[in-house]
Amino acid sequence: SLDELRRELESCYAKVLKSAAPSMASASPPTPDDYMDQAAAFISLRQPALAIAAYESALRVRKDDPALWAGLAAAQIKTGDFISAAHSADHGIQSCGSSASLLNNKGYALARAGRNSEGLGCLKGALALDPSNPLILCNQAEVLWNVNDRADALKACDAALKVNPRYVRALVMKGNILLEEGLTQAAYAASQNAAQIDPH
């Protein structure tokens, strides 16, 4: 066992150096940043429920960190718990003030919960704080598309692509919207562009 190994090593240390082995340092408890790193790893592994637990552990220590609240809301969105995600983002806004990421996550969660007008209001607020964020622009495009405002959805996709021409999500969405509009050649071009960037 590890205890037996430790005792053997302490014995060797004492024999060689003619003094007692130093006491083992006790491990320090994880910090909020450790939990945040852990949560990011769980998201990469497609384990959002474990990421939620890590964010909740971090927030027990540091409730005034907007990045932790935004991360918690994003992880809850990935599980499909949109109302909890909106509440988490709202807690973050109340605790830390408005930020683009908190408003974005709240808006997207509300829209996914069927509260499109509230969601669009939050996304508009997020864009006021960070007008060239392609993720927020893409979320806005998706909500606008869902409420059949294809013209404004296309504008939001184009705005996201102006910032990042290789943003696959925006290209795919633009292709789908153009297809619904009957613009098959333009839709094909956008889809081909997306496929070249990310063949999967």
Side-chain angles (χ1 to χ4, degrees):
S1 73
L2 288 176
D3 281 337
E4 290 170 325
L5 177 61
R6 179 180 53 80
R7 284 193 294 273
E8 274 299 315
L9 290 171
E10 286 173 346
S11 173
C12 290
Y13 186 100
K15 285 177 187 171
V16 172
L17 297 176
K18 309 289 187 229
S19 66
S23 62
M24 289 192 325
S26 58
S28 57
T31 67
D33 291 331
D34 295 331
Y35 284 121
M36 209 166 170
D37 292 342
Q38 191 179 72
F42 285 134
I43 291 294
S44 297
L45 294 169
R46 296 187 177 149
Q47 297 287 332
L50 295 174
I52 288 168
Y55 280 120
E56 288 172 340
S57 295
L59 282 163
R60 280 194 281 277
V61 180
R62 197 165 70 202
K63 288 184 184 285
D64 61 346
D65 188 334
L68 292 175
W69 288 108
L72 174 60
Q76 288 167 325
I77 287 170
K78 288 188 181 296
T79 67
D81 190 355
F82 304 121
I83 297 302
S84 291
H87 286 313
S88 294
D90 218 19
H91 280 302
I93 291 166
Q94 291 166 10
S95 301
C96 318
S98 291
S99 73
S101 59
L102 285 167
L103 286 168
N104 171 62
N105 290 352
K106 181 180 178 182
Y108 189 67
L110 287 171
R112 292 295 303 272
R115 293 160 61 179
N116 291 310
S117 60
E118 291 174 80
L120 283 170
C122 290
L123 291 169
K124 184 178 177 182
L127 286 169
L129 295 171
D130 190 357
S132 60
N133 185 312
L135 172 64
I136 302 171
L137 287 162
C138 229
N139 285 343
Q140 183 186 51
E142 184 179 323
V143 179
L144 289 165
W145 182 25
N146 288 338
V147 297
N148 292 316
D149 186 349
R150 293 190 194 112
D152 283 338
L154 281 172
K155 286 179 192 172
C157 284
D158 285 336
L161 290 167
K162 187 175 179 182
V163 178
N164 181 358
R166 298 177 57 80
Y167 196 17
V168 172
R169 181 181 171 210
L171 286 165
V172 170
M173 197 181 312
K174 181 177 180 178
N176 287 328
I177 296 168
L178 289 168
L179 194 60
E180 285 183 3
E181 292 283 282
L183 301 167
T184 52
Q185 282 188 317
Y188 179 76
S191 299
Q192 279 294 98
N193 197 356
Q196 287 172 355
I197 295 165
D198 184 0
H200 306 292

